[in-house]
Amino acid sequence: MNAPFPPPPSQEGGDGGSQAMPAPYHDGLPSGRPSGKTMKERLVQLEVLRYNPDTDTEAHFQRYEVMCQEEWVVLDALNKVKESIDPTLNYRWSCHMAVCGSCGMMINGEPKLSCHSFLRDYEGVIRVEPLTHFPVERDLVTAPDDFMEKLKRVKPYVITKQKKPIEAGEYKQTPAQLMKFRQYSMCINCMLCYAACPEYGLTPHFVGPAALTLAHRYNLDSRDEGRRERMEVVATREGVWECTFVGACSEVCPAQVDPASALQQLKIVGSIDWIVEHLLPGGKP
Amino acid sequence: METVSTDVVIVGAGGAGLRAAIALAETAPKLRVALISKVYPMRSHTCAAEGGAAGVIKPDDSFDFHFHDTVGGGDWLSDQDCVEYFIHEAPRELLQLEHWGCPWNREADGSVAVRPFGGMKKQRTWFAADKSGFHILHTLFQTSLQFPSITRFDEYFGLDLLMHDGRCRGLTAMEMRSGELRQFHAKAVIIAGGGAGRMFPFSTNGAIKTGDGMAMAYRAGAPLKDMEFVQYHPTGLPNTGSLLTEACRGEGGILTNKHGRRYLQDYGMGPETPVGQPQLKTMELGPRDRLSQAYWHELQKGNTVSTPWGECVLLDMRHLGAKKIRERLPLVHELAESYLGVDIIKDPVPIRPVVHYMMGGISTNTAAATPLPGLFAAGECACVSLNGANRLGSNSLVELLVFGRRAALSAIEYIHDLSPTNTSPLEAAADATRQRVEALHRRDDGNESMSGLRREMMDTMEKNVGIYRTEAGLQEGVNKIHELRERYTRVKLTDKSRVFNTDLFQILELGSMLDCAEAVTVGALARRESRGAHQRLDYVERDDTNFLRHTMVYRQDAELPRVDYLDVVITRSPPGVRDYSGDKR
Amino acid sequence: MSRRPLIRELPPTRWFLRHPRYLRYMAREVTSLFVGAYCVLLVIAMQRLSAGPVAWQEFLVALRSPASLVFHLAAMAAAFYHAGTWFNATQKAMPLQIGEDFVPGAYISGAHYLVWAVLSLVVLFVAGVI
């Protein structure tokens, strides 16, 4: 006997068994459809910054009005605009659960993931712009090249003096040792912190919050021996010493990574290294 | 058209693609690797996997257990030589990831911790809270940054494989930010492009999961295998479809209907186990196909709970307590709270099954090689026949690693024996791609809207190719998808500009999904039996006489695809009864 | 046509008007001017003291002028604010882990406030005010 299931009480003749599944509402939009009562709907006004390098010399705002369900997020509203009003509107998105980091935008002037910006939290016209401090390719699509380069520069990977063979099994790491760095490993690379950091906006050579935080994450990992290498990038004028602790990075971080804390800790580590190296006889950090 | 000459092209930079790239860089550092992806690697959908990755490591576990769990879980449609290879490689790969810095949860003594998972007889799922896929992806991506032989082409949209003399010699891709085409000339190509769950309207899959890699291979002549097996994850949020990981139940969460009854006991997964003491391989820790099917039966009986988001059952985790929920299921806690307004510490959360994973894909053998020489595939886009008719939770993250690496090793071996050829025929093939894209831009009489066709496709898949299927429904599905494919030739490109034209990308993605959808429907219609995730109301029994074999679907341009079959490899586990009835003592 | 990325420059003199959090940051930075000015005042006081009793008396009289009082009140407010931002930062810069858990940040900042209060009392006591 393969099927453990009793035959269903009523067969939906010929129409495919799945028809009783709740019907979808819209592509790409939360598909819950009210059964019986209707979901609360609301006319949402969006003001979206548009820029097309083919035709525009400057960016301009465009107004859209769409009917949305009250529980939707700003990304759902954009998707509905793209599907039903304007296919030429461009933006990135994928996971719709605040983990892939694609859909960072300025929403009413605040760097946010649009998939985690709930319409219920906004009144009136919602103003949507591309992330600040990054060049705009088109509409809400920015160029993250600078961030990608900086990420690579801080060597965000385990560095060991000698490679441990797989046969030797795992590195022992206690829950306490894990907790020491875990928070800093939660960065989704959404770049909201770069859009919030005025330091990065004013002095673009600043390595910036997310990349420095990842350096700190590996520095704190009990398996890693690469701190000295990383500090050559981190404890520099382009690194943590460019940070003046505005703290905006931590305020906007959607993953509660708290980059500001990582950077302040790096400053202390960098200072101690400097003191050991320059002020103690024969000192090496 | 600019040409990039390289040794290996990898399409897709998620778990499998990155693992392949690193294996190439480590094993053959002189080979140039072009890693192309339509998104930045951190955006790949591997990041959304939550629960964990299975590998035998604890003393009470054994390779035998993992073997039998996987083969039985797959309803004997898995190739057993493949499963054998996989289970032995799995712990190695997970350890490798540990050495690269993956923040696995730990026991008090510092060793790696494991958690229970559906359909697994022993605890063997390595996990990093409920963000396991996220950590695996970022660990791989960050590790890959140290290898100079890997050149990334982020946000390049793969278009067509370049074939010559029956061999795969590269591909064409579009740089998304400029709209310019590039041809990549290579000795081997590895496709790691992910699944195609977005052909369904209600899915845990991200927007990027449109089967472009599958379709690319399919168009080039590679068969798609076992595409009719589409996994519904039993516990998705009813409005957004976001995944609530199987670990919810692994940690002790229970499923109840509107009467508060743990209804799984009524569907061969009982007897009821004590609340908060989950027992392996029974009740809430049964396999995903059975759990999703049980929902459907509850729905028919009127035992579901009506919510503003449709008919649901309840996932109750209150008894786990706030501390355990915050420590082990923080993402689930957050998702339910913010998207549905339910605090799982205080209330049961309504859930329903949601399309999650495709067992089928580009046909590969255990060496991750497709039937086309020079073309390899790994990950969800491939069907290496590990998962059979139903994948067990926490096998797929390991599959990315094991077969991502294997594809790389196979490619190295293949390149070693390859003689050089000239590239001029490739230019001609690349030009065909250019014309295809240009035609879209130039066409003014297009009268089919992309979003309209897409919605019809999704509605068709939802209606006719759901958890339970019938001959008539599937026939309707086949006809409809075929019609949509024909209408797709008249699809209208509204946005004619070149820079980051998502209107164009969505049209290309729709083409990929329609190809995949046709393979799913045709395969499902032909399989007149019920096995794993493929359940027919008109053929309710498994039929090992006629269907203990893989469906192989070959694309034919304007006609319906050709269906063929391939025998399942059985080594030491003859087809038997899938028993999830728990401890009978 | 192809790529022509648009660079949106930050206005170098007005950027902090974009959001209240930047204004708070600027306020914190401005308070350091008062702290600095008060340090200068202390140096002047030393110099006056070393110049003899007459100079010192004149200096003390000057301190009682309305302008001086206003300055002192403002400097004190600024010093409080500035010190507060530092103490609040300590929980980020110096996290304390005991076993798996971190000591709540409020405890770390709170401890700093406490030490500050105690030290202030000691100073006031040594100065004979209390």
Side-chain angles (χ1 to χ4, degrees):
Chain A
M1 211 11 224
N2 176 44
F5 298 106
S10 65
Q11 292 236 349
E12 315 285 342
D15 219 7
S18 62
Q19 69 147 214
M21 290 283 284
Y25 180 72
H26 251 300
D27 165 42
L29 303 175
S31 55
R33 166 173 279 182
S35 62
K37 50 195 164 189
T38 35
M39 191 77 68
K40 229 168 119 188
E41 293 210 327
R42 164 183 155 194
L43 188 69
V44 170
Q45 293 180 307
L46 296 170
E47 208 169 59
V48 184
L49 195 76
R50 303 295 310 270
Y51 171 68
N52 182 349
D54 280 2
T55 51
D56 304 336
T57 50
E58 275 178 55
H60 62 276
F61 280 99
Q62 185 164 350
R63 181 77 69 98
Y64 299 103
E65 290 187 357
V66 273
M67 199 52 102
C68 297
Q69 290 180 14
E70 182 66 33
E71 63 171 18
W72 282 4
V73 292
V74 172
L75 174 63
D76 297 326
L78 287 172
N79 280 342
K80 190 157 180 192
V81 168
K82 181 155 178 81
E83 179 174 316
S84 58
I85 302 175
D86 187 354
T88 72
L89 178 63
N90 297 285
Y91 49 94
R92 296 185 181 102
W93 74 285
S94 178
C95 75
H96 203 293
M97 55 190 280
V99 70
C100 80
S102 306
C103 66
M105 305 169 186
M106 306 300 287
I107 298 177
N108 284 353
E110 183 83 355
K112 299 281 281 183
L113 295 178
S114 61
C115 75
H116 209 259
S117 302
F118 295 87
L119 293 178
R120 58 178 178 254
D121 296 333
Y122 297 92
E123 285 171 6
V125 181
I126 303 173
R127 183 175 267 231
V128 185
E129 298 167 76
L131 282 185
T132 51
H133 306 162
F134 291 96
V136 181
E137 291 284 2
R138 188 176 174 191
D139 297 342
L140 303 172
V141 177
T142 54
D145 305 45
D146 184 53
F147 169 71
M148 296 300 283
E149 185 274 320
K150 283 166 175 165
L151 199 59
K152 185 172 175 174
R153 216 197 298 169
V154 301
K155 305 190 177 181
Y157 35 81
V158 168
I159 298 172
T160 51
K161 296 190 182 90
Q162 218 161 14
K163 203 175 158 186
K164 180 170 173 158
I166 297 294
E167 292 70 29
E170 78 256 52
Y171 288 88
K172 297 286 180 199
Q173 184 171 66
T174 63
Q177 286 174 318
L178 170 67
M179 291 312 286
K180 199 171 175 190
F181 72 87
R182 194 172 85 163
Q183 178 185 2
Y184 300 127
S185 72
M186 304 299 271
C187 170
I188 63 173
N189 298 174
C190 64
M191 308 182 297
L192 299 192
C193 54
Y194 284 73
C197 176
E199 215 59 65
Y200 178 66
L202 294 165
T203 48
H205 62 247
F206 178 36
V207 176
L212 289 167
T213 300
L214 271 172
H216 191 50
R217 170 249 179 276
Y218 280 96
N219 284 353
L220 292 179
D221 193 320
S222 58
R223 295 165 286 194
D224 180 77
E225 299 170 314
R227 187 172 73 85
R228 281 196 69 173
E229 264 182 66
R230 255 174 241 118
M231 290 309 276
E232 284 169 20
V233 185
V234 168
T236 60
R237 281 179 61 187
E238 298 184 358
V240 280
W241 297 114
E242 190 62 69
C243 167
T244 56
F245 193 30
V246 181
C249 50
S250 295
E251 287 178 39
V252 303
C253 178
Q256 286 80 48
V257 171
D258 197 358
S261 72
L263 267 66
Q264 305 329 301
Q265 289 164 38
L266 280 172
K267 286 178 190 173
I268 293 179
V269 173
S271 303
I272 293 173
D273 284 352
W274 190 89
I275 290 168
V276 169
E277 193 171 7
H278 291 90
L279 302 183
L280 296 187
K284 267 186 182 175
Chain B
M1 192 188 307
E2 204 178 296
T3 301
V4 179
S5 285
T6 183
D7 293 307
V8 183
V9 180
I10 301 172
V11 192
L18 285 166
R19 183 65 188 93
I22 295 172
L24 279 159
E26 281 196 328
T27 318
K30 290 210 172 112
L31 289 183
R32 295 159 301 167
V33 180
L35 179 56
I36 83 168
S37 171
K38 67 176 178 178
V39 291
Y40 283 84
M42 315 82 78
R43 317 298 182 218
S44 307
H45 201 61
T46 304
C47 74
E50 297 172 9
V56 173
I57 188 166
K58 295 295 174 188
D60 69 330
D61 200 0
S62 78
F63 288 126
D64 255 13
F65 286 145
H66 197 183
F67 176 87
H68 288 294
D69 286 347
T70 303
V71 170
D75 219 349
W76 279 272
L77 199 68
S78 309
D79 282 346
Q80 295 178 12
D81 55 343
C82 166
V83 178
E84 204 83 57
Y85 175 77
F86 167 79
I87 55 170
H88 284 94
E89 289 293 310
R92 275 187 68 87
E93 282 300 312
L94 295 174
L95 280 172
Q96 177 63 78
L97 219 52
E98 197 277 334
H99 289 195
W100 284 334
C102 189
W104 298 120
N105 273 44
R106 304 287 178 154
E107 310 278 8
D109 70 351
S111 61
V112 169
V114 289
R115 66 164 36 138
F117 237 65
M120 300 281 192
K121 192 182 173 74
K122 294 285 172 186
Q123 298 198 16
R124 67 168 72 95
T125 299
W126 303 38
F127 63 103
D130 56 359
K131 286 199 169 181
S132 307
F134 164 82
H135 285 298
I136 289 175
L137 180 70
H138 282 251
T139 301
L140 287 170
F141 167 59
Q142 289 161 10
T143 300
S144 79
L145 293 172
Q146 63 194 286
F147 298 105
S149 64
I150 303 173
T151 308
R152 280 205 331 274
F153 294 84
D154 297 331
E155 295 197 328
Y156 275 64
F157 195 105
L159 294 166
D160 289 307
L161 293 175
L162 295 174
M163 303 294 294
H164 176 54
D165 266 354
R167 290 174 183 274
C168 183
R169 294 304 306 266
L171 55 88
T172 49
M174 178 182 283
E175 185 188 37
M176 293 163 72
R177 58 165 54 169
S178 67
E180 285 165 16
L181 293 182
R182 302 264 190 284
Q183 47 182 329
F184 291 78
H185 292 177
K187 293 167 182 150
V189 174
I190 298 172
I191 297 186
R198 294 299 292 198
M199 70 172 78
F200 288 83
F202 188 58
S203 159
T204 61
N205 286 193
I208 59 176
K209 296 280 296 287
T210 53
D212 309 290
M214 289 182 182
M216 202 188 293
Y218 185 48
R219 284 197 304 271
L224 297 182
K225 192 206 286 171
D226 290 340
M227 289 291 279
E228 62 271 29
F229 295 97
V230 177
Q231 179 166 76
Y232 278 77
H233 196 290
T235 58
L237 282 186
N239 55 350
T240 60
S242 299
L243 172 68
L244 300 189
T245 170
E246 196 156 299
C248 296
R249 286 166 282 130
E251 298 295 343
I254 56 168
L255 290 172
T256 59
N257 64 17
K258 76 171 177 192
H259 307 299
R261 179 171 173 82
R262 289 171 69 193
Y263 58 90
L264 294 178
Q265 60 187 299
D266 302 331
Y267 302 100
M269 285 174 276
E272 196 173 340
T273 52
V275 172
Q277 298 169 36
Q279 270 175 37
L280 291 152
K281 246 180 141 170
T282 188
M283 288 299 287
E284 282 81 7
L285 290 180
R288 290 175 179 174
D289 55 339
R290 289 283 166 86
L291 263 66
S292 294
Q293 290 151 19
Y295 161 86
W296 185 89
H297 287 273
E298 287 294 291
L299 182 66
Q300 306 302 312
K301 289 180 187 168
N303 286 344
T304 46
V305 180
S306 293
T307 73
W309 313 281
E311 293 297 311
C312 293
V313 286
L314 298 172
L315 172 61
D316 194 342
M317 291 171 276
R318 289 174 296 180
H319 51 278
L320 302 184
K323 185 175 186 296
K324 192 165 189 180
I325 284 173
R326 292 215 171 89
E327 181 198 316
R328 297 222 161 170
L329 302 166
L331 178 63
V332 169
H333 185 217
E334 202 280 326
L335 287 174
E337 175 87 57
S338 55
Y339 290 104
L340 207 63
V342 174
D343 181 353
I344 60 171
I345 294 173
K346 295 188 188 128
D347 292 299
V349 56
I351 49 98
R352 64 184 171 108
V354 49
V355 168
H356 183 52
Y357 183 86
M358 301 190 65
M359 271 67 77
I362 307 164
S363 176
T364 60
N365 59 19
T366 302
T370 73
L372 305 183
L375 182 65
F376 304 85
E380 192 182 346
C381 73
C383 179
V384 67
S385 289
L386 166 70
N387 303 308
N390 171 60
R391 176 176 71 81
L392 290 191
S394 76
N395 266 353
S396 67
L397 284 175
V398 195
E399 181 186 355
L400 303 178
L401 305 168
V402 168
F403 292 101
R405 172 170 169 272
R406 186 59 217 250
L409 300 184
S410 296
I412 292 169
E413 214 171 296
Y414 170 83
I415 288 171
H416 185 74
D417 303 332
L418 196 69
S419 55
T421 58
N422 67 42
T423 53
S424 54
L426 300 183
E427 304 275 350
D431 201 56
T433 305
R434 190 184 59 77
Q435 285 175 19
R436 179 161 77 94
V437 175
E438 283 312 305
L440 270 173
H441 270 284
R442 271 199 308 271
R443 184 191 302 150
D444 288 326
D445 59 346
N447 55 5
E448 294 284 354
S449 87
M450 189 282 302
S451 57
L453 290 175
R454 191 171 60 188
R455 198 173 318 144
E456 284 187 54
M457 170 190 68
M458 289 177 164
D459 290 349
T460 305
M461 297 308 283
E462 171 100 348
K463 182 177 167 216
N464 298 309
V465 205
I467 296 177
Y468 279 92
R469 304 159 176 184
T470 62
E471 187 85 7
L474 288 170
Q475 187 61 58
E476 185 183 298
V478 168
N479 296 346
K480 184 71 186 178
I481 297 293
H482 195 66
E483 174 206 315
L484 292 175
R485 269 192 63 203
E486 191 274 324
R487 284 164 58 194
Y488 176 76
T489 59
R490 296 187 301 278
V491 69
K492 181 180 181 201
L493 177 67
T494 310
D495 186 348
K496 306 281 190 188
S497 33
R498 298 287 171 175
V499 171
F500 216 96
N501 183 343
T502 50
D503 190 28
L504 174 65
F505 303 138
Q506 288 189 341
I507 285 177
L508 296 170
E509 289 173 337
L510 175 63
S512 303
M513 287 191 285
L514 283 170
D515 275 342
C516 296
E518 190 161 64
V520 172
T521 49
V522 165
L525 179 64
R527 188 174 282 276
R528 292 176 164 176
E529 65 157 351
S530 289
R531 183 188 295 272
H534 174 70
Q535 292 290 317
R536 298 271 304 243
L537 290 171
D538 38 8
Y539 299 93
V540 295
E541 297 289 327
R542 194 175 78 195
D543 177 0
D544 289 329
T545 315
N546 295 305
F547 288 104
L548 186 58
R549 47 187 191 166
H550 304 294
T551 312
M552 306 283 274
V553 179
Y554 294 83
R555 190 174 190 276
Q556 312 199 80
D557 276 342
E559 293 160 49
L560 280 176
R562 178 169 66 85
V563 179
D564 202 349
Y565 292 94
L566 181 73
D567 283 341
V568 174
V569 179
I570 307 275
T571 57
R572 59 189 175 106
S573 172
V577 177
R578 298 174 74 201
D579 183 6
Y580 296 101
S581 60
D583 195 347
K584 294 198 185 67
R585 275 170 300 170
Chain C
M1 286 291 284
S2 63
R3 293 186 64 210
R4 202 155 45 81
L6 180 74
I7 313 286
R8 295 197 300 162
E9 299 276 352
L10 262 193
T13 52
R14 288 172 293 114
W15 61 267
F16 51 88
L17 300 175
R18 280 190 305 170
H19 198 286
R21 71 164 66 94
Y22 304 134
L23 281 173
R24 285 198 297 277
Y25 162 74
M26 287 306 265
R28 183 189 87 195
E29 299 298 284
V30 167
T31 57
S32 61
L33 294 180
F34 286 91
V35 176
Y38 195 78
C39 291
V40 172
L41 189 72
L42 284 179
V43 173
I44 293 171
M46 302 271 236
Q47 193 267 333
R48 291 287 84 194
L49 192 59
S50 64
V54 178
W56 178 242
Q57 276 309 319
E58 282 171 4
F59 177 71
L60 289 182
V61 170
L63 281 186
R64 291 189 194 99
S65 72
S68 165
L69 287 175
V70 169
F71 169 76
H72 274 80
L73 283 174
M76 186 155 80
F80 273 120
Y81 185 78
H82 198 88
T85 60
W86 272 97
F87 292 148
N88 293 343
T90 54
Q91 55 180 286
K92 288 189 186 292
M94 297 186 284
L96 199 60
Q97 192 184 11
I98 297 176
E100 287 177 45
D101 301 320
F102 284 87
V103 175
Y107 288 18
I108 294 173
S109 294
H112 281 84
Y113 280 104
L114 192 69
V115 171
W116 181 37
V118 170
L119 284 181
S120 298
L121 287 175
V122 170
V123 168
L124 290 175
F125 180 75
V126 170
V129 180
I130 53 171

